[in-house]
Amino acid sequence: ILLRIDPFVERNKLIYQMGTGESNLALEAAQKVIKDVNGMEVNMGCPKKFSVSGGMGSALLTDVKRACDIIATLRRNLENKPVSAKIRLLDPTDPKPTLDFVRALIKAGANAITIH
């Protein structure tokens, strides 16, 4: 991971967005940059083949247990850093599946959720 920032311009404004499908790998990546960023975001919305085939991105939208495990692991292990998730609508005609997924992420510890 290569991270270049201007500390005077970007101080207190930098969120690290990661693609991951496994909580242990998410934590490993987060620990490499945690001192240089102000929060973590897990991308659970990417529909690209490379992401979904690796169990990342929008593949997590069909596996709430794994998605919540990633969020809970990050929250449990990162000192005072917010953790958010970016997701997509699960069903554009019925808000209930999306709301249920969001509630599960919040219960797992998500500080914020963006619906893309």
Side-chain angles (χ1 to χ4, degrees):
I1 297 171
L2 178 62
L3 176 65
R4 294 184 186 165
I5 62 171
D6 180 336
F8 297 107
V9 175
E10 297 169 329
R11 184 182 315 258
N12 299 321
K13 298 176 187 170
L14 189 61
I15 304 298
Y16 176 73
Q17 185 186 77
M18 69 174 76
T20 186
E22 303 297 331
S23 59
N24 61 324
L25 296 176
L27 181 58
E28 184 180 332
Q31 289 172 328
K32 292 179 191 257
V33 298
I34 194 65
K35 292 180 181 174
D36 298 309
V37 300
N38 302 97
M40 299 286 156
E41 179 167 85
V42 179
N43 183 339
M44 298 183 184
C46 183
K48 297 292 185 181
K49 184 178 179 179
F50 76 88
S51 186
V52 175
S53 66
M56 303 180 290
S58 60
L60 291 169
L61 298 176
T62 61
D63 192 344
V64 69
K65 182 178 178 184
R66 198 159 45 98
C68 288
D69 181 49
I70 292 168
I71 296 295
T73 297
L74 292 173
R75 288 287 293 140
R76 188 172 53 250
N77 290 283
L78 302 180
E79 298 176 16
N80 301 318
K81 298 283 182 164
V83 175
S84 63
K86 182 180 83 170
I87 69 169
R88 290 182 177 272
L89 286 174
L90 290 146
D91 181 345
T93 63
D94 180 8
K96 186 177 181 336
T98 303
L99 290 171
D100 290 345
F101 194 84
V102 166
R103 287 182 183 112
L105 292 176
I106 291 169
K107 187 174 181 182
N111 298 99
I113 298 163
T114 302
I115 300 176
H116 179 60

CSV table of all heavy atoms in Angstrom, one decimal, residues 23 27 30-31 34 69-81 83:
chain,number,residue,atom,x,y,z
A,23,SER,N,-12.6,-10.8,7.1
A,23,SER,CA,-12.4,-9.9,8.2
A,23,SER,C,-10.9,-9.8,8.6
A,23,SER,O,-10.4,-8.8,8.9
A,23,SER,CB,-13.2,-10.3,9.4
A,23,SER,OG,-12.9,-11.6,9.8
A,27,LEU,N,-8.6,-6.4,8.5
A,27,LEU,CA,-7.9,-5.9,9.7
A,27,LEU,C,-6.4,-5.7,9.4
A,27,LEU,O,-5.8,-4.7,9.7
A,27,LEU,CB,-8.1,-6.8,10.9
A,27,LEU,CG,-7.4,-6.4,12.2
A,27,LEU,CD1,-7.8,-5.0,12.6
A,27,LEU,CD2,-7.6,-7.4,13.3
A,30,ALA,N,-6.1,-2.6,7.3
A,30,ALA,CA,-6.4,-1.4,8.1
A,30,ALA,C,-5.2,-1.1,9.0
A,30,ALA,O,-4.9,0.1,9.2
A,30,ALA,CB,-7.6,-1.6,8.9
A,31,GLN,N,-4.6,-2.1,9.6
A,31,GLN,CA,-3.5,-1.8,10.5
A,31,GLN,C,-2.3,-1.2,9.8
A,31,GLN,O,-1.5,-0.6,10.5
A,31,GLN,CB,-3.1,-3.1,11.3
A,31,GLN,CG,-4.2,-3.5,12.3
A,31,GLN,CD,-4.0,-4.9,12.9
A,31,GLN,OE1,-3.4,-5.8,12.3
A,31,GLN,NE2,-4.4,-5.0,14.1
A,34,ILE,N,-3.7,2.7,9.5
A,34,ILE,CA,-4.5,3.3,10.6
A,34,ILE,C,-3.9,4.6,11.1
A,34,ILE,O,-4.7,5.5,11.5
A,34,ILE,CB,-4.8,2.3,11.7
A,34,ILE,CG1,-6.0,2.8,12.5
A,34,ILE,CG2,-3.6,2.0,12.5
A,34,ILE,CD1,-7.3,2.9,11.8
A,69,ASP,N,-19.3,-9.5,10.1
A,69,ASP,CA,-18.1,-9.9,10.8
A,69,ASP,C,-16.9,-9.0,10.4
A,69,ASP,O,-16.1,-8.6,11.3
A,69,ASP,CB,-17.7,-11.3,10.3
A,69,ASP,CG,-16.5,-11.9,11.0
A,69,ASP,OD1,-16.3,-11.7,12.2
A,69,ASP,OD2,-15.6,-12.4,10.3
A,70,ILE,N,-16.9,-8.5,9.2
A,70,ILE,CA,-15.8,-7.6,8.8
A,70,ILE,C,-15.9,-6.3,9.5
A,70,ILE,O,-15.0,-5.8,10.1
A,70,ILE,CB,-15.9,-7.3,7.2
A,70,ILE,CG1,-15.5,-8.6,6.5
A,70,ILE,CG2,-15.0,-6.1,6.8
A,70,ILE,CD1,-15.8,-8.5,5.0
A,71,ILE,N,-17.2,-5.7,9.6
A,71,ILE,CA,-17.4,-4.5,10.3
A,71,ILE,C,-17.0,-4.6,11.8
A,71,ILE,O,-16.3,-3.8,12.4
A,71,ILE,CB,-18.8,-4.0,10.2
A,71,ILE,CG1,-19.1,-3.6,8.7
A,71,ILE,CG2,-19.1,-2.8,11.1
A,71,ILE,CD1,-18.3,-2.5,8.2
A,72,ALA,N,-17.5,-5.7,12.4
A,72,ALA,CA,-17.3,-5.9,13.9
A,72,ALA,C,-15.8,-6.1,14.2
A,72,ALA,O,-15.3,-5.6,15.2
A,72,ALA,CB,-18.1,-7.2,14.3
A,73,THR,N,-15.1,-6.8,13.3
A,73,THR,CA,-13.7,-7.0,13.5
A,73,THR,C,-12.9,-5.7,13.5
A,73,THR,O,-12.0,-5.4,14.3
A,73,THR,CB,-13.1,-8.0,12.5
A,73,THR,OG1,-13.7,-9.3,12.7
A,73,THR,CG2,-11.6,-8.2,12.6
A,74,LEU,N,-13.2,-4.9,12.5
A,74,LEU,CA,-12.6,-3.6,12.4
A,74,LEU,C,-12.9,-2.7,13.6
A,74,LEU,O,-12.0,-2.1,14.2
A,74,LEU,CB,-13.0,-2.9,11.1
A,74,LEU,CG,-12.4,-3.5,9.8
A,74,LEU,CD1,-13.0,-2.9,8.6
A,74,LEU,CD2,-10.9,-3.5,9.7
A,75,ARG,N,-14.1,-2.6,14.0
A,75,ARG,CA,-14.5,-1.8,15.1
A,75,ARG,C,-13.9,-2.3,16.4
A,75,ARG,O,-13.4,-1.5,17.2
A,75,ARG,CB,-16.0,-1.8,15.3
A,75,ARG,CG,-16.7,-1.0,14.2
A,75,ARG,CD,-16.6,0.5,14.4
A,75,ARG,NE,-17.3,0.9,15.6
A,75,ARG,CZ,-16.8,1.8,16.4
A,75,ARG,NH1,-15.7,2.4,16.2
A,75,ARG,NH2,-17.5,2.2,17.5
A,76,ARG,N,-13.8,-3.6,16.6
A,76,ARG,CA,-13.2,-4.1,17.8
A,76,ARG,C,-11.7,-3.9,17.9
A,76,ARG,O,-11.2,-3.7,19.0
A,76,ARG,CB,-13.5,-5.6,17.8
A,76,ARG,CG,-13.2,-6.4,19.1
A,76,ARG,CD,-13.7,-7.8,19.1
A,76,ARG,NE,-13.3,-8.6,17.9
A,76,ARG,CZ,-14.1,-9.0,16.9
A,76,ARG,NH1,-15.3,-8.7,16.9
A,76,ARG,NH2,-13.6,-9.7,15.9
A,77,ASN,N,-11.1,-3.8,16.8
A,77,ASN,CA,-9.6,-3.7,16.8
A,77,ASN,C,-9.0,-2.4,16.5
A,77,ASN,O,-7.8,-2.2,16.6
A,77,ASN,CB,-9.0,-4.8,15.8
A,77,ASN,CG,-9.2,-6.2,16.3
A,77,ASN,OD1,-8.5,-6.6,17.2
A,77,ASN,ND2,-10.2,-6.8,15.8
A,78,LEU,N,-9.8,-1.4,16.0
A,78,LEU,CA,-9.2,-0.1,15.6
A,78,LEU,C,-9.6,0.9,16.7
A,78,LEU,O,-10.7,1.1,17.0
A,78,LEU,CB,-9.8,0.3,14.3
A,78,LEU,CG,-9.5,-0.6,13.1
A,78,LEU,CD1,-10.1,-0.1,11.8
A,78,LEU,CD2,-8.0,-0.9,13.0
A,79,GLU,N,-8.6,1.5,17.3
A,79,GLU,CA,-8.8,2.4,18.4
A,79,GLU,C,-9.4,3.7,17.9
A,79,GLU,O,-8.8,4.5,17.2
A,79,GLU,CB,-7.4,2.7,19.0
A,79,GLU,CG,-6.8,1.5,19.6
A,79,GLU,CD,-5.4,1.8,20.2
A,79,GLU,OE1,-5.1,3.0,20.4
A,79,GLU,OE2,-4.6,0.9,20.4
A,80,ASN,N,-10.6,3.9,18.3
A,80,ASN,CA,-11.3,5.2,18.1
A,80,ASN,C,-11.4,5.7,16.7
A,80,ASN,O,-11.4,6.9,16.5
A,80,ASN,CB,-10.7,6.3,19.0
A,80,ASN,CG,-10.8,5.9,20.5
A,80,ASN,OD1,-11.8,5.4,21.0
A,80,ASN,ND2,-9.7,6.2,21.2
A,81,LYS,N,-11.4,4.8,15.8
A,81,LYS,CA,-11.5,5.2,14.4
A,81,LYS,C,-12.8,4.7,13.9
A,81,LYS,O,-13.2,3.6,14.1
A,81,LYS,CB,-10.4,4.6,13.5
A,81,LYS,CG,-9.0,5.0,13.9
A,81,LYS,CD,-8.6,6.3,13.4
A,81,LYS,CE,-7.2,6.7,13.8
A,81,LYS,NZ,-6.6,7.8,13.0
A,83,VAL,N,-15.7,3.3,11.4
A,83,VAL,CA,-15.8,2.4,10.3
A,83,VAL,C,-17.1,2.5,9.6
A,83,VAL,O,-18.2,2.5,10.3
A,83,VAL,CB,-15.6,0.9,10.9
A,83,VAL,CG1,-15.8,-0.1,9.8
A,83,VAL,CG2,-14.3,0.8,11.6
